[in-house]
Amino acid sequence: MRLLRSIWSGAGQHVVRCTRLQSIGVTNSYRMGQLPRVCQYSTTSTNGEDGELTPVERIRNIGISAHIDSGKTTLTERILFYTGKIKAMHEVKGKDNVGATMDSMELERQRGITIQSAATYLSWKDTNINIIDTPGHVDFTIEVERALRVLDGAVLVLCAVGGVQSQTFTVNRQMQRYRVPCLAFINKLDRGNANPTRVMNQLRAKLKHNAAFVQIPIGLEKETKGLIDLIEKRAVYFDGDYGETVCYDTIPDHLQEEVDSRRKELIECVSNADDELGELFLEEVEPTTEQLKAGIRRSTLKRAFTPVFVGTALKNKGVQPLLDGVLDYLPNPSEVDNFALDE
């Protein structure tokens, strides 16, 4: 059984046509069960009328994982909408008699949970993203296991109210087992008692992540208005009926002190994991935006740092910056060490 990610040939400069469908066994029975449900899923893609293959640097293979009811499927639905993969967004549990796109089983729509992993692909800023939405319930954890073993990166979704929960520990162990770099996304900022700072502390104390905010919210619960990008030092708002228009503005005055404090904390956490930024930190030199982004990427790829994004998928806030983070900080297939059994 072959466990192959896309293979980049530097000499020929092309991607070998070996999809993950082949890699996790289309023709051979998979030891852990059937294949994930697939919606036009491929490791390679064509670009333009001449059928040009996408370079591996512009490919991301990621999974969405979390404890049950953290908002994974809702987040995936928004990702599909903003990338133009679907024309309308639908909610889980089939409230509008349609249901979420990735929940194709009738039982999933009735119960409002993901039972079987669902895979699809999309394009964001000229980069192809192959994405798997995994179940959160403990009874279906084997679906997460077999998805993570063939993924290059992951998004760990955390509820802003529930924080780190029982299945979060399981998912975290699975990511460690297969050495999958991850981003954290604190979802559901619009809910009552939302507290992203408490969730961040749990991420550090319970899961032992060297984590720091790369964004902080502007308001919480019903007052959630947008977020602040700590790296670019700007406020981000989401206008339009479905938050499809991303607007940038100056940081509100009442949040400037917190922004400065959180940004210093971010730089310190990354400096502890990255030598280049560590040298600048010891010299008391403020890193540029490009240097900080590069340091975050290097640290994330070696699982020494976890950047934390915030938002509320249900209220259409924070999804597009998360997609930017996937491109900026998660690896392409050539940056991952692959191990395979040739039988």
Side-chain angles (χ1 to χ4, degrees), residues 234-337:
R234 62 188 179 186
V236 186
Y237 299 97
F238 305 89
D239 296 337
D241 294 337
Y242 303 104
E244 66 274 15
T245 304
V246 181
C247 302
Y248 302 100
D249 201 350
T250 56
I251 298 172
D253 293 337
H254 70 282
L255 290 174
Q256 188 64 57
E257 184 177 347
E258 183 181 0
V259 168
D260 294 339
S261 175
R262 291 294 187 182
R263 195 170 194 274
K264 289 179 181 178
E265 182 183 41
L266 169 63
I267 293 172
E268 183 175 354
C269 289
V270 179
S271 299
N272 290 333
D274 182 72
D275 292 339
E276 292 187 27
L277 238 64
E279 292 180 3
L280 294 177
F281 183 77
L282 293 175
E283 295 172 359
E284 298 183 353
V285 176
E286 178 82 9
T288 64
T289 299
E290 291 73 21
Q291 288 173 328
L292 183 54
K293 281 188 172 182
I296 293 174
R297 179 175 178 80
R298 288 190 298 267
S299 303
T300 303
L301 294 189
K302 61 184 182 182
R303 287 184 51 83
F305 176 72
T306 303
V308 179
F309 294 77
V310 298
T312 166
L314 185 63
K315 300 301 182 182
N316 310 314
K317 292 178 173 61
V319 179
Q320 298 96 320
L322 177 64
L323 282 169
D324 291 339
V326 168
L327 270 54
D328 290 337
Y329 307 128
L330 289 183
N332 65 61
S334 68
E335 295 174 309
V336 179
D337 293 328

Side-chain angles (χ1 to χ4, degrees), residues 153-166:
V155 177
L156 177 63
V157 182
L158 300 159
C159 175
V161 179
V164 173
Q165 301 173 80
S166 58

Side-chain angles (χ1 to χ4, degrees), residues 93-192:
K93 293 187 180 180
K95 296 176 182 177
D96 52 2
N97 296 320
V98 178
T101 304
M102 302 298 274
D103 287 345
S104 64
M105 296 173 60
E106 186 62 31
L107 185 60
E108 290 179 317
R109 299 183 180 189
Q110 290 176 359
R111 300 290 184 180
I113 63 172
T114 301
I115 296 174
Q116 188 178 16
S117 295
T120 187
Y121 76 93
L122 45 91
S123 180
W124 180 253
K125 295 186 177 179
D126 204 29
T127 298
N128 282 5
I129 302 176
N130 299 317
I131 187 170
I132 296 181
D133 178 29
T134 63
H137 198 283
V138 64
D139 291 343
F140 313 116
T141 189
I142 194 64
E143 290 283 327
V144 185
E145 184 86 17
R146 65 195 183 96
L148 285 175
R149 69 183 297 180
V150 294
L151 290 173
D152 301 330
V155 177
L156 177 63
V157 182
L158 300 159
C159 175
V161 179
V164 173
Q165 301 173 80
S166 58
Q167 194 63 8
T168 313
F169 286 96
T170 303
V171 171
N172 185 64
R173 285 195 300 268
Q174 290 169 329
M175 290 182 183
Q176 289 177 335
R177 183 178 303 126
Y178 299 112
R179 299 194 58 78
V180 178
C182 74
L183 312 177
F185 179 70
I186 299 179
N187 193 23
K188 300 190 176 184
L189 295 179
D190 59 304
R191 284 187 56 188

